[in-house]
Amino acid sequence: MRTLLLYAMIIWSSALSAQTVPDFNTKIMREPAADIKQTKNAATYDQRQFMVPVPSRLKNDMELLMGITGNHLDARGAFQYNEKSKRRIDSLTMSRDCTRIFGDPDKPEKCDRISFVSSASFNDKMMAYNDSIKRYQMLREFFKTANVLGGAPTFWRGFHPIRSTTQAKYFFLDNTDEENIMFINKVGLQSNFSSIYNANATLLTGVIPTWKIPLKFSMATNITQQTSERDSIAATKLPNGGLLNVGVLWPAFFKQWYVDNGKKVAFYLPIEYRYNIDDVKDNVAFNDTYYYHELSAYLMGTVDLLQKDDVVDVAALFGAFKMSYYNGGNQFSSRLSANKFWTAYATLGVQIKNKYTVSANIPLWSDNDLIKQQQVATLGLTFQPSKKE
């Protein structure tokens, strides 16, 4: 029954890790967006335009293979380019399959015409076909990404929004180049308005390219200026993770609406698992540290109505509700007098220029009375050096 309750609360609750906002790329959604209505084969738009930045690594092939110039692509036209690149891939694949070495008697039934080449040039011909197909496939994946993320999909398309590695790069890493990972992309400082200060940093962020369900991977650290056996010190560190923590995150839902000349409102529901290693005693050997698992769900809302009409990404207000379930080993329970428990937090804040975040984290509830008594509100400042102003 408890397991069923866990799944139910994950689905219906969910948003950001204490002082850490679960990132999504706002720069891919800069201009006034179109309202997308999903049909069986395409996404249709209204008359408003939405421009998606073209990755620098694709610009050359964009012009050579598709005749597209410039730094941006219209999200509405991306579907047609996707269809065109698919037809070109099919044609190249057929030509490759119907190429034979002189003297080969085999004639596949699907081939209307066989192209014969010498044995010496056959391998070069195959390599050329493979290279062209791969280049078109990369372009096609970008076209699909621009079409799906470059606007406002219908409500149902918001569930499981990220379905390829390319889409995950755009959604999580905020880049338009080939990088699959980012280093030290977020650092922060939190205080409980009294004597406890926590410093944390996201050391590594990347994308795990699983089929159809790419995940965000992160490695982070959380350090306090105090070490103590008191439960209160350990409890205040829980929302930000242990001294070392690694996690994977899956965006279950993402939906945005555009209002008032391109300003947007977004709702985001990620689910995250983190494995934490920590200790709160002085001079503790590594094998005496404690570990714990954390499964969290977030419900996050953002609104960027603060910015001027002619300037984007100035400031965005956000609010979030986080529900977490903790499960640790024996040493974990010896530090906190608890082993398995739930917590709930609310976070309110403002993100400035897509780079600086000021937020307040407010504890709301725990099913463990001891943990509930030790929860304290904190104020945090987060800086994201990897994001350009």
Side-chain angles (χ1 to χ4, degrees), residues 278-327:
D278 207 345
D279 195 78
V280 292
K281 292 177 61 178
D282 294 319
N283 302 318
V284 175
F286 183 77
N287 59 354
D288 291 328
T289 59
Y290 65 80
Y291 71 90
Y292 58 96
H293 306 273
E294 176 188 356
L295 184 61
S296 301
Y298 310 83
L299 178 60
M300 177 180 176
T302 69
V303 56
D304 61 2
L305 299 182
L306 296 179
Q307 58 202 28
K308 299 178 181 179
D309 289 344
D310 57 344
V311 181
V312 296
D313 296 334
V314 173
L317 297 173
F318 65 85
F321 174 76
K322 176 186 179 183
M323 192 81 180
S324 298
Y325 177 71
Y326 294 91
N327 187 335

Side-chain angles (χ1 to χ4, degrees), residues 89 106 127 167 189 239 259 284 315 329-330 340 378:
I89 291 171
D106 177 41
M127 295 290 286
Q167 292 175 14
L189 179 67
V259 295
V284 175
N330 293 331
K340 301 176 182 179
T378 57

Side-chain angles (χ1 to χ4, degrees), residues 19-20 186-190 198-202 221-223 357 380-384:
Q19 304 294 339
T20 305
K186 186 180 294 185
V187 293
L189 179 67
Q190 288 80 42
N198 289 334
N200 52 64
T202 302
T221 183
N222 180 39
I223 303 172
T357 302
L381 174 63
T382 303
F383 171 62
Q384 295 169 271

Side-chain angles (χ1 to χ4, degrees), residues 18-286:
Q19 304 294 339
T20 305
V21 181
D23 287 326
F24 53 87
N25 181 2
T26 58
K27 293 181 181 179
I28 195 174
M29 299 162 281
R30 297 179 72 97
E31 306 294 336
D35 295 327
I36 303 177
K37 297 180 180 179
Q38 291 295 125
T39 63
K40 182 177 180 181
N41 298 316
T44 58
Y45 294 73
D46 64 12
Q47 294 182 354
R48 289 182 292 171
Q49 290 186 336
F50 181 75
M51 307 304 292
V52 177
V54 176
S56 59
R57 70 183 188 278
L58 297 180
K59 288 181 180 179
N60 188 54
D61 281 349
M62 281 281 187
E63 183 172 359
L64 292 177
L65 302 181
M66 305 297 294
I68 301 172
T69 59
N71 297 322
H72 292 80
L73 179 73
D74 176 40
R76 179 179 183 179
F79 177 77
Q80 298 300 327
Y81 285 122
N82 170 54
E83 291 296 291
K84 181 178 179 180
S85 59
K86 181 180 182 301
R87 291 192 297 269
R88 191 71 186 112
I89 291 171
D90 291 341
S91 175
L92 287 167
T93 301
M94 178 65 73
S95 297
R96 182 186 62 184
D97 294 343
C98 295
T99 300
R100 291 292 185 271
I101 300 173
F102 282 118
D104 189 345
D106 177 41
K107 180 181 179 182
E109 294 182 0
K110 64 179 180 180
C111 299
D112 296 330
R113 186 174 65 87
I114 301 295
S115 176
F116 290 100
V117 297
S118 67
S119 177
S121 61
F122 180 78
N123 184 63
D124 291 339
K125 191 73 170 178
M126 292 297 101
M127 295 290 286
Y129 278 131
N130 293 338
D131 179 68
S132 295
I133 291 172
K134 181 179 180 180
R135 291 162 66 187
Y136 275 108
Q137 287 173 337
M138 292 180 64
L139 290 177
R140 188 186 178 209
E141 188 56 49
F142 170 73
F143 295 142
K144 289 191 292 184
T145 299
N147 189 244
V148 171
L149 297 182
T154 58
F155 178 80
W156 294 110
R157 183 58 183 86
F159 289 95
H160 181 30
I162 308 303
R163 303 177 185 181
S164 72
T165 302
T166 299
Q167 292 175 14
K169 287 182 183 180
Y170 265 83
F171 194 81
F172 291 129
L173 301 186
D174 193 22
N175 75 318
T176 56
D177 282 311
E178 295 180 327
E179 291 86 357
N180 291 320
I181 60 175
M182 293 192 299
F183 297 96
I184 314 295
N185 72 307
K186 186 180 294 185
V187 293
L189 179 67
Q190 288 80 42
S191 172
N192 70 339
F193 309 101
S194 179
S195 60
I196 299 177
Y197 298 88
N198 289 334
N200 52 64
T202 302
L203 306 176
L204 178 73
T205 302
V207 170
I208 301 176
T210 53
W211 184 75
K212 292 293 185 181
I213 309 178
L215 304 173
K216 177 184 179 181
F217 171 83
S218 63
M219 178 183 295
T221 183
N222 180 39
I223 303 172
T224 181
Q225 93 283 6
Q226 292 177 289
T227 57
S228 170
E229 293 186 13
R230 289 185 298 154
D231 288 351
S232 59
I233 303 297
T236 57
K237 294 184 67 177
L238 286 176
N240 294 293
L243 177 64
L244 177 66
N245 61 85
V246 295
V248 291
L249 182 145
W250 172 62
F253 180 80
F254 180 78
K255 174 65 178 176
Q256 59 182 355
W257 292 267
Y258 288 83
V259 295
D260 190 20
N261 196 27
K263 299 169 185 176
K264 58 185 176 293
V265 176
F267 286 94
Y268 182 31
L269 195 161
I271 297 174
E272 182 180 28
Y273 164 78
R274 286 198 297 186
Y275 179 78
N276 300 269
I277 299 175
D278 207 345
D279 195 78
V280 292
K281 292 177 61 178
D282 294 319
N283 302 318
V284 175
F286 183 77

